Structure formats: C-alpha cells, structure tokens
Amino acid sequence: MGLSIGDVEKITGISKDRLRYYEEKQLITPVRCADNSYREYDNEEVLKLLGIQLYRSMDLGVKEIQQIQDSDTIKGIYNVFKKRQKELQIQLAELQKQKDSVLRGIKDCEKISSYLGKYTIKNVKPLKLIDKIDDLVSTETGAKFKTEADEQMIIIRSMVRRIELTPEGIGENAVFVAEESEEKEIECVYTVVRDSPSYDPLMDEYAKCMKWVAENNIKLGRYCYIKPLLVSHLGKCAESFLEVFAPVIKS
C-alpha cells in the first residue's frame, strides 16, 4: 500500500495544494486507489518530490524541472543549471546596481542632515564635464545622459550646474553631464541647500558663501558646482536638495 497525500505532506513538508499542482503539471504521477480514488504515492514519487524540492531551491520553474526529468544524460541537466546560472548573474548585477543606488541615497541623506545650511571645508571628488546641456527640458537631453556604460538613465546622478565666480558676481551659469573623476579629492568650500519652485536659493547662498569665505580668509577658484542630491516632497510641492562646492585655491 502506498503513502497518502497527508503522509507525503508530513514527510516532505510540501503542502497538499502544492502536491496537487505538481500532479496537474505532470511532475509527479501518483496512482488512484481503486476502492476510493484516493491518491497513493510510492517511493519513486517521493524521490521525485525530493528532487523537485532541490530544483525549486534554485528557483527553477515547471518547464525547467520537466526538462530535467526528461533528460537522459547529465549534460541535459547541466545545461539547465548553466542557463539558470546566467540568469542569476544578470539578476545579481542588477541587484548590485540597486544596492549601490540605495547606499548612495543613504549617504545623500546623511549629507543633507550634516551640512544643510552650513558652510565648511570638505574634500570632494573632482568632476569630469562630458557634455553641455542647452535645455534641460528637452527630448534630446536623455540621449546625452545615457551612455553605453550605464544603460539606465539617472539624470539626477549625472547632472551638474557650473557657475562662474567673477569679481562682479555670478558669471556663466551652465548645466553639464558630468561624472566623478578618478583623480585625487580636492579641498572645497561645501554646503547643502534646499531648492523649490517657490524659492531660488542661488543669489542668497552666493552672498552667504562670499561672506563666509571672506571671514575665513579663503580664496576660491573660478567655478562653483551644484549637484542634485535628492528630490523630495517634504514641503507642499516637489523640491530638491543640492550640494554646492567650490574648489579652494591654496596660498
């Protein structure tokens, strides 16, 4: 006499519903008792189920498990495993990108908490300007930000505004596609500001920065750079936090 579906559930830990599903997909073929039509599972069916548990631990689907069961050589099973390996490598690479992006978001939040409204001297990675953007709100803009190395376009991570500092005030104000350079970090005057559609902090922060620089006998280079950190809705409408840094000229 074979095992009942309840017995198999206890032995394998596979639920009755899942056992019926495997039977529906013909991964297992229990016999029906002639007297009462109850399912009966022999040792071969239990062994199949243990194999299915193994393959499900690899997140193989019904189709792949069927291929394994139909394979009459180890090579056939090997090919199924290799295909799954390639799929997982792609998934892991994507998850790593997501992990890196989340980590950067955490660091950006920490920057905002530490530096919002404060001026300090901070070492910053120099930027490599790649392409100038004439109009940020343009259908051609996306193509400039998207590169072969990064198929996922994340404009907020690649955009920088460069402002020219002149004796008369603010000079050229331009937006670029940029990336961090591998060169040594440079010493900068650094702060984080809050920007919103109802308030443009540029002129106010310029005045505060120049005052702080003068008080601390600091000489700045020709340009100041502004990079978006985070877009939020902490106010009533969309707003952004920007990191602002200007390289220092050492005496």
Side-chain angles (χ1 to χ4, degrees):
M1 183 176 178
L3 297 167
S4 69
I5 191 170
D7 293 332
V8 174
E9 181 181 36
K10 291 176 183 177
I11 293 169
T12 63
I14 301 172
S15 70
K16 294 184 180 71
D17 287 343
R18 179 60 60 174
L19 290 169
R20 295 187 186 99
Y21 174 75
Y22 290 156
E23 181 182 353
E24 177 188 335
K25 296 300 181 181
Q26 299 182 336
L27 297 178
I28 57 173
T29 53
V31 297
R32 294 280 185 166
C33 178
D35 295 334
N36 53 26
S37 295
Y38 288 170
R39 294 172 176 83
E40 290 186 355
Y41 300 79
D42 59 19
N43 289 342
E44 182 179 354
E45 296 305 309
V46 174
L47 188 59
K48 283 183 183 179
L49 286 166
L50 296 179
I52 290 170
Q53 279 185 320
L54 172 64
Y55 305 139
R56 287 297 299 137
S57 73
M58 304 174 192
D59 201 27
L60 294 175
V62 170
K63 182 179 178 181
E64 288 76 22
I65 296 174
Q66 287 172 337
Q67 289 175 351
I68 290 173
Q69 290 183 341
D70 293 341
S71 297
D72 53 10
T73 66
I74 290 297
K75 181 67 174 177
I77 300 174
Y78 172 86
N79 289 338
V80 174
F81 290 164
K82 288 297 290 183
K83 179 175 179 290
R84 182 61 184 146
Q85 181 189 43
K86 290 180 181 179
E87 293 170 349
L88 288 171
Q89 287 172 338
I90 293 171
Q91 291 175 21
L92 284 170
E94 184 58 36
L95 284 173
Q96 185 61 53
K97 285 184 180 181
Q98 294 175 21
K99 180 182 176 182
D100 292 343
S101 187
V102 169
L103 179 59
R104 183 164 177 175
I106 290 171
K107 290 181 178 180
D108 288 346
C109 287
E110 291 171 348
K111 287 180 181 178
I112 294 167
S113 297
S114 299
Y115 298 106
L116 182 62
K118 302 173 184 176
Y119 283 90
T120 189
I121 298 295
K122 188 176 185 297
N123 288 336
V124 177
K125 276 281 190 182
L127 296 174
K128 177 183 176 182
L129 303 184
I130 299 172
D131 201 353
K132 187 175 180 181
I133 303 299
D134 296 320
D135 183 5
L136 185 60
V137 185
S138 167
T139 55
E140 298 177 356
T141 298
K144 292 188 176 183
F145 282 97
K146 195 170 183 177
T147 67
E148 292 182 3
D150 185 9
E151 294 181 357
Q152 186 177 14
M153 179 176 60
I154 308 178
I155 292 177
I156 197 170
R157 294 278 166 82
S158 304
M159 180 175 67
V160 63
R161 183 179 295 277
R162 188 183 72 178
I163 295 174
E164 185 181 20
L165 305 176
T166 73
E168 294 76 27
I170 292 177
E172 181 192 30
N173 184 344
V175 176
F176 293 85
V177 179
E179 62 183 21
E180 288 185 349
S181 168
E182 295 301 320
E183 297 177 10
K184 185 179 178 181
E185 290 185 340
I186 55 176
E187 194 174 63
C188 295
V189 171
Y190 183 92
T191 189
V192 173
V193 301
R194 195 168 181 170
D195 186 21
S196 72
S198 60
Y199 170 65
D200 182 355
L202 182 58
M203 296 308 299
D204 287 346
E205 292 301 328
Y206 172 77
K208 290 178 185 177
C209 179
M210 292 300 103
K211 182 175 182 294
W212 188 87
V213 165
E215 290 173 350
N216 290 274
N217 298 315
I218 296 170
K219 186 176 181 181
L220 298 181
R222 181 179 177 184
Y223 294 108
C224 172
Y225 300 89
I226 301 175
K227 288 187 65 180
L229 286 177
L230 188 69
V231 176
S232 75
H233 291 77
L234 298 181
K236 293 183 178 180
C237 57
E239 58 186 6
S240 59
F241 292 92
L242 314 171
E243 62 177 342
V244 182
F245 52 95
V248 172
I249 296 179
K250 294 184 179 181
S251 304

Coordinates of all heavy atoms in Angstrom, one line a residue, residues 49-96:
L49 N 9.7 14.0 -5.6 CA 9.4 15.3 -4.9 C 10.6 15.8 -4.2 O 10.8 17.1 -4.1 CB 8.3 15.0 -3.8 CG 6.9 14.8 -4.4 CD1 5.9 14.1 -3.4 CD2 6.3 16.1 -4.9
L50 N 11.5 15.0 -3.7 CA 12.7 15.5 -3.1 C 13.6 16.2 -4.1 O 14.2 17.2 -3.8 CB 13.5 14.3 -2.4 CG 12.8 13.6 -1.3 CD1 13.6 12.5 -0.7 CD2 12.4 14.6 -0.1
G51 N 13.6 15.6 -5.3 CA 14.3 16.3 -6.4 C 13.7 17.6 -6.8 O 14.4 18.6 -7.0
I52 N 12.3 17.7 -6.8 CA 11.7 18.9 -7.1 C 12.0 20.0 -6.0 O 12.2 21.2 -6.4 CB 10.1 18.7 -7.2 CG1 9.8 17.9 -8.4 CG2 9.4 20.0 -7.2 CD1 8.4 17.4 -8.5
Q53 N 12.0 19.6 -4.8 CA 12.4 20.5 -3.7 C 13.8 21.1 -4.0 O 14.0 22.3 -3.8 CB 12.5 19.8 -2.4 CG 11.1 19.6 -1.7 CD 11.2 19.0 -0.3 OE1 12.0 18.1 -0.1 NE2 10.5 19.5 0.6
L54 N 14.7 20.3 -4.4 CA 16.1 20.7 -4.7 C 16.0 21.7 -5.9 O 16.7 22.8 -5.8 CB 17.0 19.5 -5.1 CG 18.4 19.9 -5.7 CD1 19.2 20.6 -4.6 CD2 19.1 18.6 -6.2
Y55 N 15.3 21.4 -6.9 CA 15.3 22.3 -8.1 C 14.5 23.6 -7.8 O 14.9 24.7 -8.3 CB 14.6 21.6 -9.3 CG 15.3 20.3 -9.6 CD1 14.5 19.1 -9.9 CD2 16.7 20.1 -9.5 CE1 15.2 17.9 -10.2 CE2 17.3 18.9 -9.8 CZ 16.5 17.8 -10.1 OH 17.1 16.6 -10.4
R56 N 13.5 23.5 -6.9 CA 12.8 24.8 -6.5 C 13.7 25.7 -5.7 O 13.5 26.9 -5.7 CB 11.5 24.4 -5.8 CG 10.4 23.8 -6.6 CD 9.9 24.8 -7.7 NE 9.4 26.0 -7.1 CZ 9.7 27.3 -7.5 NH1 10.4 27.5 -8.6 NH2 9.1 28.3 -6.9
S57 N 14.7 25.1 -5.0 CA 15.6 25.9 -4.2 C 16.5 26.7 -5.1 O 17.1 27.7 -4.7 CB 16.5 25.0 -3.3 OG 17.5 24.3 -4.1
M58 N 16.6 26.3 -6.4 CA 17.3 27.1 -7.4 C 16.4 28.0 -8.1 O 16.8 28.7 -9.1 CB 17.9 26.1 -8.4 CG 18.9 25.1 -7.8 SD 19.4 23.9 -9.1 CE 20.1 22.6 -8.1
D59 N 15.1 28.0 -7.7 CA 14.0 28.9 -8.3 C 13.8 28.5 -9.8 O 13.5 29.3 -10.6 CB 14.4 30.4 -8.2 CG 13.1 31.2 -8.4 OD1 12.0 30.7 -8.1 OD2 13.2 32.4 -8.9
L60 N 14.0 27.2 -10.0 CA 13.6 26.7 -11.4 C 12.1 26.5 -11.5 O 11.5 26.1 -10.5 CB 14.3 25.3 -11.6 CG 15.8 25.3 -11.7 CD1 16.4 23.9 -11.8 CD2 16.3 26.1 -12.8
G61 N 11.6 26.8 -12.7 CA 10.2 26.7 -12.9 C 9.8 25.3 -13.4 O 10.6 24.4 -13.5
V62 N 8.5 25.2 -13.6 CA 7.9 23.9 -14.0 C 8.6 23.4 -15.3 O 9.0 22.2 -15.5 CB 6.4 24.0 -14.2 CG1 5.9 22.7 -14.9 CG2 5.7 24.2 -12.9
K63 N 8.8 24.3 -16.3 CA 9.3 24.0 -17.6 C 10.7 23.4 -17.4 O 11.1 22.4 -18.0 CB 9.4 25.2 -18.5 CG 9.9 24.9 -19.9 CD 9.9 26.1 -20.7 CE 10.4 25.9 -22.1 NZ 10.4 27.1 -23.0
E64 N 11.6 24.1 -16.6 CA 12.9 23.6 -16.4 C 13.0 22.3 -15.6 O 13.8 21.4 -15.9 CB 13.7 24.7 -15.6 CG 14.1 25.9 -16.3 CD 12.9 26.9 -16.5 OE1 11.9 26.8 -15.7 OE2 12.9 27.7 -17.4
I65 N 12.1 22.1 -14.6 CA 12.0 20.8 -13.9 C 11.6 19.7 -14.8 O 12.1 18.6 -14.8 CB 11.1 20.9 -12.7 CG1 11.6 22.0 -11.7 CG2 10.9 19.6 -12.0 CD1 10.7 22.3 -10.5
Q66 N 10.7 20.0 -15.7 CA 10.3 19.0 -16.7 C 11.4 18.6 -17.6 O 11.6 17.4 -18.0 CB 9.1 19.5 -17.6 CG 7.8 19.6 -16.8 CD 6.7 20.3 -17.6 OE1 7.0 21.1 -18.5 NE2 5.4 20.0 -17.3
Q67 N 12.2 19.6 -18.0 CA 13.4 19.3 -18.8 C 14.4 18.4 -18.1 O 15.0 17.5 -18.7 CB 14.1 20.6 -19.2 CG 13.3 21.5 -20.2 CD 14.0 22.8 -20.5 OE1 14.9 23.2 -19.8 NE2 13.4 23.5 -21.5
I68 N 14.6 18.6 -16.8 CA 15.5 17.8 -16.0 C 14.9 16.4 -15.9 O 15.7 15.4 -16.1 CB 15.7 18.4 -14.6 CG1 16.5 19.7 -14.7 CG2 16.3 17.4 -13.7 CD1 16.5 20.5 -13.4
Q69 N 13.6 16.3 -15.7 CA 13.0 14.9 -15.6 C 13.1 14.2 -16.9 O 13.2 12.9 -16.9 CB 11.6 15.0 -15.1 CG 11.5 15.5 -13.6 CD 10.0 15.5 -13.2 OE1 9.1 15.6 -14.0 NE2 9.8 15.5 -11.8
D70 N 13.0 14.9 -18.0 CA 13.0 14.3 -19.3 C 14.5 14.0 -19.8 O 14.6 13.3 -20.8 CB 12.3 15.2 -20.3 CG 10.8 15.3 -20.1 OD1 10.3 14.4 -19.3 OD2 10.2 16.2 -20.5
S71 N 15.5 14.6 -19.1 CA 16.8 14.4 -19.6 C 17.3 13.0 -19.3 O 17.1 12.4 -18.3 CB 17.8 15.4 -18.9 OG 17.4 16.7 -19.2
D72 N 17.9 12.4 -20.3 CA 18.5 11.1 -20.2 C 20.0 11.1 -20.1 O 20.7 10.1 -20.1 CB 18.1 10.1 -21.3 CG 18.4 10.7 -22.7 OD1 19.1 11.8 -22.7 OD2 17.9 10.2 -23.7
T73 N 20.6 12.3 -20.0 CA 22.0 12.5 -19.8 C 22.3 13.6 -18.8 O 21.5 14.5 -18.6 CB 22.8 12.9 -21.1 OG1 22.3 14.2 -21.5 CG2 22.5 11.8 -22.2
I74 N 23.4 13.5 -18.1 CA 23.8 14.6 -17.1 C 24.0 15.9 -17.9 O 23.8 17.0 -17.4 CB 25.1 14.2 -16.4 CG1 24.8 13.1 -15.4 CG2 25.7 15.4 -15.7 CD1 23.9 13.4 -14.3
K75 N 24.4 15.8 -19.1 CA 24.6 17.0 -19.9 C 23.4 17.9 -20.1 O 23.4 19.1 -20.0 CB 25.1 16.6 -21.3 CG 25.4 17.8 -22.3 CD 26.6 18.6 -21.8 CE 27.0 19.7 -22.8 NZ 28.1 20.6 -22.4
G76 N 22.2 17.2 -20.2 CA 21.0 17.9 -20.3 C 20.6 18.6 -19.0 O 20.2 19.8 -19.0
I77 N 20.9 18.0 -17.9 CA 20.6 18.6 -16.6 C 21.6 19.8 -16.4 O 21.3 20.9 -15.9 CB 20.8 17.6 -15.4 CG1 19.8 16.5 -15.6 CG2 20.6 18.3 -14.1 CD1 19.9 15.4 -14.6
Y78 N 22.9 19.6 -16.8 CA 23.9 20.6 -16.7 C 23.5 21.8 -17.4 O 23.7 22.9 -16.9 CB 25.2 20.0 -17.2 CG 26.4 21.0 -17.4 CD1 27.2 21.2 -16.3 CD2 26.6 21.6 -18.6 CE1 28.3 22.1 -16.5 CE2 27.7 22.5 -18.8 CZ 28.5 22.7 -17.7 OH 29.5 23.6 -17.8
N79 N 23.0 21.7 -18.6 CA 22.6 22.8 -19.4 C 21.5 23.6 -18.8 O 21.5 24.9 -18.9 CB 22.1 22.3 -20.8 CG 23.3 21.8 -21.7 OD1 24.4 22.2 -21.4 ND2 23.0 21.0 -22.7
V80 N 20.6 23.0 -18.1 CA 19.5 23.7 -17.4 C 20.1 24.5 -16.3 O 19.8 25.7 -16.1 CB 18.5 22.7 -16.8 CG1 17.5 23.4 -15.9 CG2 17.7 22.0 -17.9
F81 N 21.1 23.9 -15.5 CA 21.7 24.6 -14.4 C 22.6 25.8 -14.9 O 22.6 26.9 -14.3 CB 22.7 23.7 -13.6 CG 21.9 22.6 -12.8 CD1 22.6 21.5 -12.3 CD2 20.6 22.8 -12.6 CE1 21.9 20.6 -11.6 CE2 19.9 21.8 -11.8 CZ 20.6 20.7 -11.3
K82 N 23.3 25.6 -16.1 CA 24.1 26.7 -16.6 C 23.2 27.9 -17.1 O 23.6 29.1 -16.9 CB 24.9 26.2 -17.8 CG 26.1 25.3 -17.4 CD 27.1 26.0 -16.5 CE 27.9 27.0 -17.3 NZ 29.0 27.7 -16.5
K83 N 22.1 27.6 -17.7 CA 21.2 28.6 -18.1 C 20.7 29.4 -16.9 O 20.6 30.7 -16.9 CB 20.0 28.0 -18.9 CG 19.0 29.0 -19.3 CD 17.9 28.3 -20.2 CE 16.8 29.3 -20.7 NZ 16.0 29.8 -19.6
R84 N 20.3 28.7 -15.8 CA 19.9 29.4 -14.6 C 21.0 30.2 -14.0 O 20.7 31.3 -13.5 CB 19.4 28.3 -13.6 CG 18.8 28.9 -12.3 CD 17.7 29.8 -12.6 NE 17.2 30.5 -11.4 CZ 16.7 31.7 -11.4 NH1 16.5 32.4 -12.5 NH2 16.2 32.2 -10.2
Q85 N 22.2 29.7 -14.0 CA 23.3 30.5 -13.5 C 23.5 31.8 -14.2 O 23.7 32.8 -13.6 CB 24.6 29.7 -13.7 CG 25.9 30.4 -13.1 CD 27.2 29.6 -13.5 OE1 27.3 29.2 -14.6 NE2 28.0 29.5 -12.5
K86 N 23.4 31.8 -15.5 CA 23.5 33.1 -16.3 C 22.4 34.0 -15.9 O 22.6 35.2 -15.8 CB 23.4 32.8 -17.8 CG 24.6 32.0 -18.3 CD 24.5 31.8 -19.8 CE 25.7 31.0 -20.4 NZ 25.6 30.7 -21.8
E87 N 21.1 33.5 -15.7 CA 20.0 34.3 -15.3 C 20.3 35.0 -14.0 O 20.0 36.2 -13.8 CB 18.7 33.5 -15.3 CG 18.3 33.0 -16.6 CD 17.1 32.0 -16.5 OE1 16.8 31.6 -15.4 OE2 16.5 31.7 -17.6
L88 N 20.8 34.2 -13.0 CA 21.1 34.7 -11.7 C 22.2 35.8 -11.7 O 22.2 36.7 -11.0 CB 21.5 33.6 -10.8 CG 20.3 32.6 -10.4 CD1 20.8 31.4 -9.6 CD2 19.3 33.4 -9.5
Q89 N 23.2 35.6 -12.6 CA 24.3 36.5 -12.7 C 23.8 37.9 -13.1 O 24.2 38.9 -12.6 CB 25.4 36.0 -13.6 CG 26.2 34.9 -13.1 CD 27.1 34.2 -14.1 OE1 26.9 34.3 -15.3 NE2 28.2 33.6 -13.6
I90 N 22.8 37.9 -14.1 CA 22.2 39.1 -14.6 C 21.4 39.7 -13.4 O 21.5 41.0 -13.2 CB 21.3 38.8 -15.8 CG1 22.2 38.4 -17.0 CG2 20.5 40.1 -16.1 CD1 21.4 37.9 -18.2
Q91 N 20.6 38.9 -12.7 CA 19.8 39.4 -11.6 C 20.7 40.0 -10.5 O 20.4 41.1 -9.9 CB 19.0 38.3 -11.0 CG 17.9 37.9 -12.0 CD 17.1 36.7 -11.4 OE1 17.1 36.4 -10.2 NE2 16.4 36.0 -12.3
L92 N 21.8 39.3 -10.2 CA 22.7 39.8 -9.1 C 23.4 41.1 -9.5 O 23.5 42.0 -8.7 CB 23.8 38.7 -8.9 CG 23.4 37.5 -8.1 CD1 24.5 36.5 -8.1 CD2 23.1 37.9 -6.6
A93 N 23.7 41.3 -10.8 CA 24.3 42.5 -11.3 C 23.3 43.7 -11.1 O 23.7 44.8 -10.7 CB 24.8 42.4 -12.7
E94 N 22.1 43.4 -11.5 CA 21.0 44.4 -11.3 C 20.8 44.7 -9.9 O 20.6 45.9 -9.5 CB 19.7 43.9 -12.0 CG 18.6 45.0 -12.0 CD 19.0 46.2 -12.7 OE1 19.7 46.2 -13.7 OE2 18.5 47.3 -12.2
L95 N 20.7 43.7 -9.0 CA 20.6 44.0 -7.6 C 21.7 44.8 -7.0 O 21.5 45.6 -6.1 CB 20.4 42.6 -6.8 CG 19.1 41.9 -7.0 CD1 19.1 40.5 -6.4 CD2 18.0 42.7 -6.3
Q96 N 22.9 44.5 -7.5 CA 24.1 45.3 -7.0 C 24.0 46.7 -7.4 O 24.3 47.6 -6.6 CB 25.4 44.7 -7.6 CG 26.7 45.3 -7.1 CD 26.8 45.2 -5.6 OE1 26.7 44.0 -5.0 NE2 27.0 46.3 -4.8

